[in-house]
Amino acid sequence: MTHDNATTPGRIDFHHHFMPSSMLTSGLFGDTSGWKFKEDESAWSPQVSVDFMDRLQIDTAILSVPNDIESRLPENKRHHFAREVNTLSRQAADDHPGRFGLFAHLPTPTDTDAALEELTYAFDVLGADGITLTNVYGTGDQARSLGDPIFEPLWAELDRRNALVFLHGEQTPGSNRAPSRFLPTPISETPNETYKGAADLVTSGRKRQYPNVRIVLSHSGGSTPYLAARVAALCAFHLDCELTADEILEDFRTFYYETALSGFETNLVALENFVAPDHILFGTDFPAANPRTASWFTDNVDTYFADRPTMLAQVMHDNAYRLLPRLTAGTPT
């Protein structure tokens, strides 16, 4: 480690992906979204993450596998995928005590029984810190967003467990092709997919219906801080939503927001204006974001809060300790 962990707590990274090389080279995180990994970035391992974490003074990273991967797999591999990646993530945590946590991946949760079975295994056997969800499962007429009634059994179980959920926007292409190679899906669509997931959970009433579920929005919620008022006014005054505009805004403010690929002054000003200080967390998006990118955003966050060390400590670790008390106990993940 590059700091004295006993006196200077390190960062807690809420947005850190488990990406074995077989995933990176199979197209699951590349060809389907337009995202390209450089050749020297494709050899990922838990140790690669630990080395990166040491450089950025990250004590613990919570591993997650983003998006509805099963839909991109051959049918004969879909059933076992979630158990395989969750078990491997748990192994990474065991091999590097204290350095990793786990947001467990679920089978496509429109299959409620399979999702609940893996959720139970992840929490009760693997000791997961929470689960990861994407905002929509399926495409076209088959698409089901997280507020859809089909997911109510899942939300009910998460609520019963007071669970932590990491919500990552889906890599869903827009109706038109990407404008250019410089604007692939992760840049042009994914942040807005995160916003759509948050807005759907609020306007469907799920966020209020299941208040014990603590939801972390990736990438500072994408466009959520900027569009929440638009949702509130139009849904309440034009579309006769059962919630008032004030209730809609109140529910948006109950999400947690992490800084991956969004740790920039404009974004941070908006976040501080919109949510309570204890609802802002740190994230990197490594290894989807390479070390240079993650370091640039991290440096921006450090600079923004440089004259407010107490707030910087909240964002970097103290708020994480409140969500995951085990981190303060010094016990291995």
Side-chain angles (χ1 to χ4, degrees):
M1 300 291 288
T2 56
H3 60 282
D4 182 356
N5 194 47
T7 58
T8 307
R11 314 178 203 271
I12 307 298
D13 186 355
F14 272 81
H15 192 153
H16 198 109
H17 294 310
F18 177 83
M19 286 188 177
S21 298
S22 59
M23 288 186 184
L24 292 175
T25 59
S26 67
L28 290 178
F29 297 101
D31 296 341
T32 56
S33 68
W35 188 252
K36 303 297 181 185
F37 288 93
K38 295 181 180 179
E39 193 165 326
D40 61 352
E41 295 169 357
S42 61
W44 180 86
S45 69
Q47 186 60 51
V48 168
S49 274
V50 169
D51 293 342
F52 162 80
M53 291 158 62
D54 287 348
R55 288 197 298 274
L56 261 68
Q57 297 186 330
I58 296 168
D59 276 352
T60 304
I62 315 300
L63 296 173
S64 60
V65 175
N67 309 113
D68 181 19
I69 303 300
E70 277 80 353
S71 65
R72 304 168 196 174
L73 293 172
E75 192 166 347
N76 65 340
K77 295 185 178 181
R78 293 176 187 174
H79 181 70
H80 301 291
F81 178 78
R83 180 64 55 86
E84 178 183 357
V85 298
N86 291 336
T87 301
L88 289 172
S89 296
R90 177 71 255 179
Q91 187 63 53
D94 291 342
D95 291 344
H96 302 274
R99 304 310 303 274
F100 294 117
L102 167 62
F103 284 135
H105 180 77
L106 299 184
T108 303
T110 47
D111 183 346
T112 304
D113 290 342
L116 289 174
E117 179 183 352
E118 189 61 28
L119 182 154
T120 300
Y121 184 83
F123 280 121
D124 296 347
V125 178
L126 298 181
D129 292 304
I131 66 161
T132 184
L133 294 173
T134 191
N135 64 297
V136 63
Y137 292 88
T139 58
D141 291 340
Q142 301 303 312
R144 295 292 179 268
S145 295
L146 288 178
D148 192 281
I150 196 170
F151 300 117
E152 283 202 60
L154 175 63
W155 287 116
E157 178 62 12
L158 291 168
D159 189 75
R160 185 186 72 81
R161 288 177 175 267
N162 299 300
L164 188 60
V165 171
F166 179 63
L167 198 165
H168 191 290
E170 183 53 83
Q171 311 281 7
T172 303
S175 57
N176 298 323
R177 66 177 180 83
S180 75
R181 70 183 181 90
F182 298 112
L183 295 172
T185 296
I187 296 176
S188 60
E189 303 292 342
T190 300
N192 289 316
E193 291 295 314
T194 304
Y195 147 71
K196 285 162 63 176
D200 184 42
L201 288 172
V202 169
T203 58
S204 67
R206 300 288 176 253
K207 192 71 178 69
R208 187 160 289 227
Q209 182 180 1
Y210 300 110
N212 295 319
V213 186
R214 300 159 298 158
I215 301 174
V216 179
L217 299 180
S218 63
H219 308 121
S220 294
S223 46
T224 300
Y226 312 98
L227 296 183
R230 179 186 179 100
V231 176
L234 292 178
C235 289
F237 305 140
H238 287 260
L239 301 175
D240 299 322
C241 179
E242 293 182 2
L243 298 174
T244 68
D246 286 344
E247 287 173 332
I248 289 172
L249 287 171
E250 179 183 320
D251 288 354
F252 271 117
R253 290 186 170 108
T254 63
F255 291 106
Y256 292 82
Y257 296 76
E258 58 82 17
T259 64
L261 300 184
S262 53
F264 184 72
E265 182 176 6
T266 304
N267 307 71
L268 294 168
V269 168
L271 273 184
E272 282 203 279
N273 178 266
F274 189 59
V275 299
D278 62 357
H279 276 56
I280 304 174
L281 306 164
F282 173 71
T284 66
D285 212 339
F286 184 81
N290 63 26
R292 183 180 179 186
T293 304
S295 296
W296 187 81
F297 280 108
T298 300
D299 288 344
N300 280 334
V301 178
D302 286 343
T303 299
Y304 179 78
F305 291 115
D307 61 348
R308 292 182 287 158
T310 299
M311 183 62 189
L312 179 62
Q314 279 192 269
V315 172
M316 291 303 175
H317 45 73
D318 288 349
N319 293 338
Y321 296 159
R322 295 185 186 97
L323 281 179
L324 292 173
R326 69 164 183 82
L327 296 174
T328 63
T331 55
T333 305

